[in-house]
Amino acid sequence: MAPGPLDTTAARPVRMCVGCRTRAQQGDLLRVVAVAGRLLPDPRRQRSGRGAYVHPTGECVEAAIARKAFGRALRTGGPLETAALLSFVTESNVEERRDAHPMNSQK
């Protein structure tokens, strides 16, 4: 029987992280696009064009940059500017850690 619209067991999209090369559900990964030679995070997955997926952690992003995996996945030639992506990931991780702290009253 084919999964219906109310079937919660339907398969969800799976993508591979270009940093650690493990498979994860698409919702757990950050989509990254290249625009004018810059790597830009696309958390809402709305930008047009080819996208690469990476875990939103500094380790996976840095591994992907060191391996030049973004250039291959996005099929771009030449170097890519990574400052915006690194800034987004570090800010996201700081906010998550602050929100997860049990003594934090700012919600």
Side-chain angles (χ1 to χ4, degrees), residues 13-87:
V14 175
R15 302 287 184 262
M16 182 180 290
C17 172
V18 295
C20 64
R21 298 188 46 84
T22 60
R23 293 186 179 273
Q25 288 188 1
Q26 183 177 357
D28 296 337
L29 299 172
L30 173 66
R31 184 174 188 261
V32 178
V33 295
V35 177
R38 298 176 56 209
L39 288 177
L40 298 177
D42 186 17
R44 295 183 187 164
R45 297 175 181 86
Q46 293 179 338
R47 291 188 182 263
S48 63
R50 183 173 290 276
Y53 289 85
V54 66
H55 285 105
T57 63
E59 294 84 17
C60 281
V61 170
E62 289 172 7
I65 292 169
R67 294 179 41 243
K68 299 179 182 177
F70 285 116
R72 284 191 301 276
L74 298 171
R75 297 184 184 174
T76 61
L80 295 167
E81 175 62 41
T82 61
L85 177 61
L86 289 170
S87 174

